[in-house]
Amino acid sequence: MRLTSLLSMAAKAAIPHDYRFGMNRPWTVAARRLNPPGKKRRKVFVEPVANEDWSVFRGDVVEILSGKDKGKQGKVTQVFRHRNWVIIEGLNTHYRYVGRSGDYRGTYISSEAPLLLKDISLIDPTDRKPTETQWRFTEEGERVRVSARTGRIIPKPLFQRKDGIIPQQWKDGPKDTSPEDTLQKTFTPSLKTLEEEVLEKMNIQEDRRARRSYWY
């Protein structure tokens, strides 16, 4: 068995069966504060959705079907599969009053609250309207999302790194190192010391010998 499989099994075993998932990662301090050892919380029933049937990904444009922001469209910024939650940028926000002290009145901060998967719908890029989706296979054997209303393919959003760079759309600049130069081997390993390599490079003949030393 591979080491990665053992590590993944150990990570899964570390989470209790009655663990209540939230918006924080289980190993963070915020998650430990909400799930202290020995505390029993009310069980949350989540409709199971298989990984191969999950149709909403980070970067998708969706429309809210219920709630105070019903009918508004936004971009998915986070996905929580353990709770069937999604976070939409700038929508379904709630405000909290924090920072109040003796000499400071505090301030309001806004944060997006999660929405259930059943309360949103993907947007068909052809007419910008919500639609149900189905997973189908193309003639080349690629599994794609298809709009149930128009039959058009809804492509998956491109992966975006934390710094905002999309690897598929990146273009090398004049100061970027090309892949060929990166893979080129320019170093030859040697057992010589740095001083010996410098002497050999500069064609310096060293006739002096180090004085013999003893460890006792």
Side-chain angles (χ1 to χ4, degrees):
M1 185 177 292
R2 292 185 177 181
L3 179 60
T4 54
S5 302
L6 293 174
L7 293 176
S8 62
M9 292 171 60
K12 292 180 180 178
I15 300 177
H17 68 279
D18 56 349
Y19 183 83
R20 187 172 181 177
F21 289 92
M23 296 178 60
N24 302 300
R25 300 183 184 274
W27 55 84
T28 59
V29 177
R32 294 174 183 173
R33 190 184 302 115
L34 295 176
N35 295 274
K39 183 178 181 180
K40 300 295 183 181
R41 303 188 65 181
R42 181 175 57 88
K43 183 176 178 56
V44 177
F45 295 93
V46 181
E47 181 182 358
V49 179
N51 290 332
E52 58 270 12
D53 296 335
W54 191 273
S55 58
V56 179
F57 303 95
R58 187 176 63 178
D60 280 328
V61 179
V62 298
E63 181 173 321
I64 300 178
L65 303 179
S66 62
K68 62 179 182 179
D69 291 331
K70 179 180 179 180
K72 295 183 180 180
Q73 299 181 4
K75 183 179 180 181
V76 176
T77 57
Q78 287 180 290
V79 175
F80 303 94
R81 298 197 179 189
H82 289 97
R83 295 290 297 271
N84 291 352
W85 282 350
V86 294
I87 301 294
I88 303 178
E89 184 178 8
L91 296 178
N92 195 36
T93 58
H94 63 274
Y95 297 88
R96 292 179 294 168
Y97 194 70
V98 298
R100 186 175 183 177
S101 60
D103 54 350
Y104 182 63
R105 63 180 182 179
T107 183
Y108 280 102
I109 61 173
S110 63
S111 59
E112 295 91 352
L115 286 165
L116 285 172
L117 194 64
K118 65 182 181 64
D119 295 332
I120 63 171
S121 179
L122 274 174
I123 295 299
D124 193 331
T126 57
D127 54 5
R128 306 295 298 178
K129 293 182 180 180
T131 179
E132 296 291 334
T133 58
Q134 298 176 353
W135 286 100
R136 297 181 182 177
F137 290 92
T138 61
E139 296 180 354
E140 291 78 13
E142 182 183 2
R143 193 166 183 261
V144 295
R145 297 180 298 180
V146 177
S147 171
R149 181 166 47 82
T150 61
R152 298 296 181 89
I153 295 177
I154 303 178
K156 284 185 179 180
L158 296 177
F159 171 74
Q160 185 175 358
R161 301 189 320 195
K162 292 183 178 180
D163 54 2
I165 295 176
I166 301 177
Q168 292 85 349
Q169 298 179 354
W170 176 260
K171 295 183 179 179
D172 293 335
K175 295 185 178 181
D176 292 326
T177 305
S178 63
E180 294 77 12
D181 294 339
T182 305
L183 297 176
Q184 184 179 2
K185 294 182 180 180
T186 58
F187 173 74
T188 303
S190 174
L191 297 177
K192 297 181 181 180
T193 62
L194 175 62
E195 292 78 6
E196 292 174 349
E197 291 182 357
V198 172
L199 291 175
E200 183 180 359
K201 186 71 174 179
M202 301 182 67
N203 296 324
I204 300 177
Q205 298 295 331
E206 179 60 59
D207 299 330
R208 295 176 297 176
R209 294 293 179 266
R211 183 180 298 180
R212 184 175 298 179
S213 60
Y214 303 91
W215 61 271
Y216 54 85

